[in-house]
Amino acid sequence: MMASDILCRQQTTVLRGMAAIIIAVFHVFIEWQLPRVVNVMGSVSVALFLLLSGFGIHESYKANGLKNYWHKKLKRIIIPYWLFLTVVTMFRGFPGWKPFLLDFCFLESEFWFIPYLMWCYLVYWIIQRWFSRWLIPAFIIIGFIALNTLQQIEAEQSYSFFAGVLASQHIEQLRSKDKKFWWRVGTISFLIGFAFLILKEIPAVHAYKGTLPYHYILLFIKLPLAIPSLLLPVFFRFLMQSRILYLAGISSLEIYLVHLPLVSYVEKNVLHFILFTAATTLLTYIYYQINHKVIAKYL
């Protein structure tokens, strides 16, 4: 049997929903100071989200080229993010012009993932605009530079977005493979990620946290463990029918942003977690309606 629908739109939406929910829960676990090994699924889900973003942008490019590229990003990411920053600033107080403008321009932010994603989109646009013949070599070089120069939380994701672009380039070949092939790929990828995870937890190795060699170890954890996640809807078809995961997928940007300011208020008890979930759900719904029925309508 062929996995002919792997990474179809329904699957990628469900996977984005899974990733968004896991990231939100992961941030609560960090706040609760649970053992760091418990939190690994959060950063693995970030890798999955970036991979899906790279896949989606290249699928769009194959269909439409760079037509309306930045107009789409303006409607779906840039203006919603600016709106979010404005609301957060109103509640928290103005941090000063320098940090506010750096955040506004996607240069430095406590909400690091959105600026990081925007830089991935910018790099992709530059390469496709002027260097499309060298897409793969360019991403390999840029990923290597990122791995060796960025902070740990960003460096460990240096090739996640590119992996999605690469998957899109070869999607027809990937969809022609049978499930036995994907079992092997998923198993090998998981074993690589798990082996490096065990290596990281060795005290003598963990002592190198924050150094360049540690970045390389993390690289071989996050992306390899994200790859088997792509196969979940293939082998567990019921996930495709989940309305919750689908809704989380189409509102993944909103979930990611609205939950972050709430995390610090979640004490380590069930009631607080329920209230956090309810507040995140409500604010996600409001934010989604604004983004899709106001911003998208008038731009």
Side-chain angles (χ1 to χ4, degrees):
M1 182 182 296
M2 303 295 181
S4 57
D5 59 349
I6 189 170
L7 290 175
C8 67
R9 183 178 293 273
Q10 179 76 6
Q11 284 190 15
T12 56
T13 301
V14 166
L15 287 169
R16 276 198 301 271
M18 290 175 54
I21 292 170
I22 292 172
I23 289 168
V25 174
F26 155 75
H27 284 137
V28 174
F29 287 171
I30 289 180
E31 186 67 21
W32 288 353
Q33 298 181 336
L34 296 184
R36 61 179 181 267
V37 69
V38 176
N39 301 331
V40 68
M41 279 308 299
S43 47
V44 169
S45 295
V46 169
L48 174 61
F49 201 100
L50 285 168
L51 191 158
L52 294 171
S53 298
F55 179 84
I57 203 65
H58 196 65
E59 287 292 289
S60 177
Y61 176 80
K62 289 192 296 186
N64 306 302
L66 294 177
K67 182 180 179 181
N68 295 323
Y69 185 90
W70 287 113
H71 185 245
K72 294 175 183 176
K73 299 297 172 286
L74 186 70
K75 290 196 302 183
R76 188 64 190 102
I77 300 179
I78 297 174
I79 290 182
Y81 185 65
W82 286 346
L83 174 62
F84 170 77
L85 287 181
T86 302
V87 173
V88 169
T89 299
M90 289 171 58
F91 280 93
R92 289 184 174 180
F94 189 62
W97 281 111
K98 181 178 179 180
F100 181 78
L101 290 176
L102 286 173
D103 206 343
F104 204 75
C105 295
F106 302 97
L107 293 173
E108 185 176 307
S109 175
E110 65 176 292
F111 313 111
W112 72 274
F113 177 77
I114 301 302
Y116 185 87
L117 182 60
M118 283 302 302
W119 279 98
C120 288
Y121 286 140
L122 176 60
V123 167
Y124 180 85
W125 179 81
I126 291 172
I127 294 174
Q128 290 288 26
R129 180 68 177 80
W130 287 292
F131 309 102
S132 59
R133 292 174 58 188
W134 299 281
L135 179 68
I136 294 177
F139 263 112
I140 291 173
I141 293 170
I142 291 170
F144 181 76
I145 294 172
L147 179 62
N148 287 274
T149 60
L150 297 180
Q151 295 182 358
Q152 177 179 300
I153 196 171
E154 299 166 330
E156 66 186 25
Q157 304 293 352
S158 296
Y159 286 101
S160 299
F161 186 88
F162 168 63
V165 173
L166 194 63
S168 175
Q169 275 200 325
H170 300 282
I171 189 60
E172 296 306 321
Q173 296 96 307
L174 295 178
R175 286 174 177 165
S176 69
K177 304 298 183 181
D178 60 22
K179 288 192 175 183
K180 288 183 179 180
F181 170 84
W182 286 113
W183 268 117
R184 291 195 295 270
V185 169
T187 301
I188 292 170
S189 185
F190 175 81
L191 290 175
I192 291 172
F194 187 74
F196 276 88
L197 177 62
I198 297 299
L199 176 65
K200 179 181 78 74
E201 292 303 312
I202 298 173
V205 175
H206 192 72
Y208 284 90
K209 183 178 181 179
T211 67
L212 188 57
Y214 201 75
H215 291 181
Y216 281 79
I217 293 174
L218 295 177
L219 176 70
F220 283 98
I221 296 173
K222 308 309 166 64
L223 184 55
L225 288 182
I227 290 173
S229 304
L230 296 173
L231 308 178
L232 292 176
V234 175
F235 293 106
F236 303 98
R237 308 296 295 184
F238 67 89
L239 294 174
M240 298 282 285
Q241 310 303 320
S242 173
R243 185 66 175 169
I244 292 176
L245 291 180
Y246 177 79
L247 291 174
I250 64 175
S251 58
S252 53
L253 172 72
E254 288 82 4
I255 291 174
Y256 176 78
L257 287 175
V258 303
H259 89 275
L260 289 169
L262 303 176
V263 169
S264 61
Y265 299 100
V266 185
E267 296 181 7
K268 197 174 182 180
N269 61 65
V270 174
L271 177 60
H272 271 245
F273 186 78
I274 293 173
L275 291 174
F276 165 77
T277 303
T280 298
T281 303
L282 176 61
L283 291 173
T284 293
Y285 175 79
I286 295 171
Y287 191 25
Y288 180 87
Q289 296 302 315
I290 293 172
N291 289 341
H292 289 262
K293 293 189 176 181
V294 178
I295 295 175
K297 181 179 179 179
Y298 293 104
L299 285 180

